[in-house]
Amino acid sequence: SVLLKSGLRLSIDPFNINTPSLSEGKVVTLLVPFKIENQGSHSEKMLPVKVRNESEKFREPVLHMVSNSPEKINKDGVLFAQSLSLGSPVRLLYYHLNNTDSDKWLIIDIVNPYSISSRVWIVSGTGGPNPQEAFVGHVATSRFIKNSFYSSGQFYIIPPKGRTTIYVQKFGPKQILTGFFHLQFLPTSSLELIVRSESKPDGLPSTEILPKDEDSTHCRGVYPAPKVLIQDIYRAGDPEKSIYIGKAPFLKSLYDSEQLYGNYGVLYDITLNLINDDSLTRQVELSFTSQGGIAQGTFLIDGRLVETPIVRSSEHVPLAILFLKPNETRIIHLNTMPQGGSHYPVRILLKSKGL
């Protein structure tokens, strides 16, 4: 263990840890390099950490929590706070820009007000710090979709009457931080999730709740299950067909009916039934197109990850090209999420041609 004196800061680079293959239930001790900083100077050491591979099945969230108002941070304070109870999985989406002239820290805590500890399983995907809004949103979404698909998460123990920080990140002026956290906890747990901005990472937590933005495009609230199911049929040879992602109807807040414009962070689960009634082989193309500004997308197509480049309004980029044999019917599955920093809605365009 490491005991820090006042004024010292410990940091660990997760990309500098050599993690061997570890089968379920096995335990391994890793030597983790870490850095202790003190007023401009630092020392580097190694810390033995015991790691156990425990399996946990990803369960679909029943609530979608969004921290995006205020979007621009001008002072320290609480950006979002919500009680977590009944043991149901939840998803958090946050998106904030440092609008000050100095460094800020974005911190996410879980608070346990009770006298027994609680265990939480967390799957995350984070992006930033970076001033490029579409880039950070894309990185966060891509990481989260991959980690969710593989149920790649971590267990946290929240001590009795304690506070555990699950995320802390510094970001400079005009830089953006965004990301997702999926949380699963025991049915007997009753915890509180807090997102806050701070000028220092190790001071007393801010308690002032910052006011929301006046415009309705930036949201702070709790929404119902973040999932949209779409089933559609496309016959090869038919005119082009569009499937919209991030279009109305939007999720509505459980507390004030505020709409989540763009359905950001909502999973779109799409099943397409492709039919070729022709006696010839047909080619069907799926493409990604923006509607009203730059956008980027992340897709799982039959379990295969596909990431688009940045697309400008009315531009098209292919997602998949499929060849249907005469009289063939094929079912394909797509998963995607509207991602922060991009302009949604967007379209998936289906079109066909003969060979």
Side-chain angles (χ1 to χ4, degrees):
S1 63
V2 177
L3 180 62
L4 291 180
K5 296 180 180 179
S6 177
L8 299 182
R9 175 168 178 77
L10 182 146
S11 61
I12 296 174
D13 180 4
F15 299 103
N16 197 26
I17 302 174
N18 295 318
T19 54
S21 176
L22 191 63
S23 57
E24 183 179 340
K26 298 298 183 180
V27 180
V28 66
T29 298
L30 302 178
L31 288 177
V32 176
F34 68 96
K35 182 190 299 183
I36 295 180
E37 300 173 271
N38 180 24
Q39 297 180 350
S41 63
H42 71 273
S43 61
E44 297 183 2
K45 298 184 180 181
M46 304 292 284
L47 177 69
V49 175
K50 185 176 291 186
V51 178
R52 180 192 302 273
N53 182 1
E54 295 188 30
S55 63
E56 180 76 10
K57 187 177 180 180
F58 187 96
R59 293 182 285 131
E60 293 187 355
V62 299
L63 294 177
H64 186 39
M65 305 179 298
V66 179
S67 177
N68 180 227
S69 183
E71 181 177 87
K72 296 179 180 179
I73 296 174
N74 293 301
K75 59 183 294 188
D76 294 352
V78 175
L79 299 161
F80 179 88
Q82 176 64 32
S83 296
L84 310 173
S85 59
L86 303 178
S88 299
V90 297
R91 176 180 301 157
L92 168 71
L93 164 64
Y94 64 90
Y95 186 100
H96 295 286
L97 179 146
N98 180 358
N99 200 41
T100 71
D101 295 326
S102 58
D103 290 341
K104 287 288 185 184
W105 296 80
L106 190 71
I107 300 172
I108 302 177
D109 298 325
I110 297 179
V111 178
N112 181 3
Y114 295 101
S115 56
I116 58 173
S117 63
S118 182
R119 191 168 83 153
V120 182
W121 185 65
I122 298 177
V123 178
S124 64
T126 62
N130 193 287
Q132 302 297 323
E133 54 187 17
F135 173 75
V136 294
H138 181 71
V139 169
T141 306
S142 175
R143 289 174 175 173
F144 183 70
I145 285 178
K146 286 186 285 188
N147 289 339
S148 299
F149 182 77
Y150 291 108
S151 292
S152 178
Q154 294 176 283
F155 287 101
Y156 288 79
I157 302 297
I158 317 301
K161 298 186 181 300
R163 175 187 293 257
T164 297
T165 296
I166 62 171
Y167 177 78
V168 55
Q169 177 64 58
K170 180 171 72 173
F171 59 140
K174 309 307 176 186
Q175 290 189 323
I176 298 167
L177 290 175
T178 185
F180 300 89
F181 282 83
H182 172 91
L183 301 98
Q184 292 181 192
F185 43 97
L186 298 176
T188 55
S189 300
S190 183
L191 308 170
E192 185 175 12
L193 181 75
I194 300 174
V195 182
R196 54 191 172 96
S197 64
E198 303 286 3
S199 297
K200 296 180 180 180
D202 49 5
L204 290 175
S206 296
T207 57
E208 177 188 359
I209 298 178
L210 300 179
K212 297 169 66 173
D213 293 336
E214 294 182 359
D215 67 90
S216 60
T217 59
H218 302 140
C219 300
R220 178 171 75 196
V222 180
Y223 301 83
K227 187 173 184 177
V228 174
L229 291 173
I230 296 176
Q231 294 183 330
D232 212 334
I233 297 174
Y234 180 70
R235 296 182 182 275
D238 281 359
E240 295 179 354
K241 173 175 280 191
S242 293
I243 297 174
Y244 288 87
I245 308 297
K247 188 179 180 180
F250 304 118
L251 296 188
K252 291 185 178 181
S253 170
L254 298 178
Y255 301 139
D256 57 14
S257 296
E258 179 183 65
Q259 294 190 102
L260 181 60
Y261 292 106
N263 278 345
Y264 289 95
V266 174
L267 176 69
Y268 280 71
D269 190 338
I270 305 167
T271 302
L272 296 178
N273 192 354
L274 305 180
I275 301 172
N276 180 15
D277 292 327
D278 205 329
S279 59
L280 301 175
T281 297
R282 287 277 190 172
Q283 175 180 313
V284 176
E285 180 182 89
L286 281 68
S287 60
F288 175 86
T289 180
S290 173
Q291 286 292 102
I294 64 168
Q296 209 165 352
T298 303
F299 293 82
L300 282 177
I301 303 178
D302 286 339
R304 180 173 61 91
L305 185 71
V306 177
E307 300 179 72
T308 76
I310 290 178
V311 176
R312 301 190 182 278
S313 183
S314 301
E315 288 183 341
H316 301 262
V317 294
L319 295 173
I321 297 176
L322 306 171
F323 296 91
L324 300 180
K325 297 177 181 179
N327 301 310
E328 180 184 0
T329 296
R330 188 183 308 179
I331 296 176
I332 63 171
H333 294 94
L334 296 87
N335 295 113
T336 188
M337 298 169 67
Q339 50 194 45
S342 287
H343 293 266
Y344 278 74
V346 298
R347 287 187 298 153
I348 299 175
L349 186 65
L350 291 89
K351 61 181 180 180
S352 60
K353 55 185 177 182
L355 297 179

